């Protein structure tokens, strides 16, 4: 740095050096392209960070056995739905095989079979 103070005009001229010169290749189109590109990269970074923070994580200390035991007091229909949710989270491929039977007359999979499927996971 120099010991002399800069004049206001010299400071303003030095600030203009931040942009590309007018006679540079591309001119204003290049400036716009760079701005759009940087905005796109910034948008991708923000989207990645938001996705990282919005992912579902299992609750700390959640225990499948405790969840199954908590379901014993539920009515059969509610317990069947809760067991299906547990099965879908733990083994999506097995849930996909069972879910077709859910829409059949008679309720599809009986609760004992469903409890056995979920109990195998414990």
């Amino acid at each position: 740095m120099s010991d002399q103070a800069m004049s206001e005009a010299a400071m303003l001229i030095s600030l203009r050096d931040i942009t590309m010169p007018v006679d540079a290749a591309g001119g204003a189109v290049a400036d716009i392209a760079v701005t759009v590109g940087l905005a796109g990269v910034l948008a991708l970074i923000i989207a990645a960070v938001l996705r990282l923070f919005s992912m579902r994580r299992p609750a700390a200390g959640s225990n499948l056995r405790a969840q199954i035991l908590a379901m014993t007091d539920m009515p059969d229909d509610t317990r069947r739905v809760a067991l299906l949710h547990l099965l879908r989270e733990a083994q999506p491929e097995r849930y996909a095989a069972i879910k077709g039977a859910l829409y059949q007359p008679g309720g599809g999979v009986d609760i004992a079979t469903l409890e056995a499927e979920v109990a195998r996971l414990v």
Side-chain angles (χ1 to χ4, degrees):
M1 299 282 284
S2 66
D3 293 334
Q4 297 176 347
M6 276 181 106
S7 69
E8 186 178 342
M11 265 195 292
L12 291 176
I13 290 173
S14 67
L15 286 176
R16 291 189 188 124
D17 290 338
I18 293 173
T19 62
M20 292 178 59
V22 177
D23 57 344
V29 175
D31 280 339
I32 292 171
V34 168
T35 303
V36 169
L38 287 175
V41 169
L42 184 62
L44 287 174
I45 291 171
I46 289 172
V49 168
L50 288 175
R51 183 174 181 180
L52 179 69
F53 287 122
S54 67
M55 282 205 253
R56 286 186 181 183
R57 293 182 185 88
S62 69
N63 188 356
L64 191 60
R65 186 177 303 240
Q67 290 177 349
I68 293 171
L69 288 175
M71 292 180 201
T72 57
D73 297 336
M74 294 180 177
D76 284 349
D77 291 337
T78 307
R79 186 169 37 160
R80 180 179 292 139
V81 171
L83 287 168
L84 285 168
H85 282 287
L86 286 177
L87 187 64
R88 184 179 62 193
E89 290 174 11
Q91 288 188 336
E93 63 282 347
R94 182 63 185 136
Y95 173 78
I98 291 176
K99 83 175 179 183
L102 296 175
Y103 300 105
Q104 305 225 347
V109 181
D110 64 309
I111 199 158
T113 306
L114 198 55
E115 283 179 340
E117 288 282 335
V118 175
R120 275 188 325 141
L121 301 174
V122 177

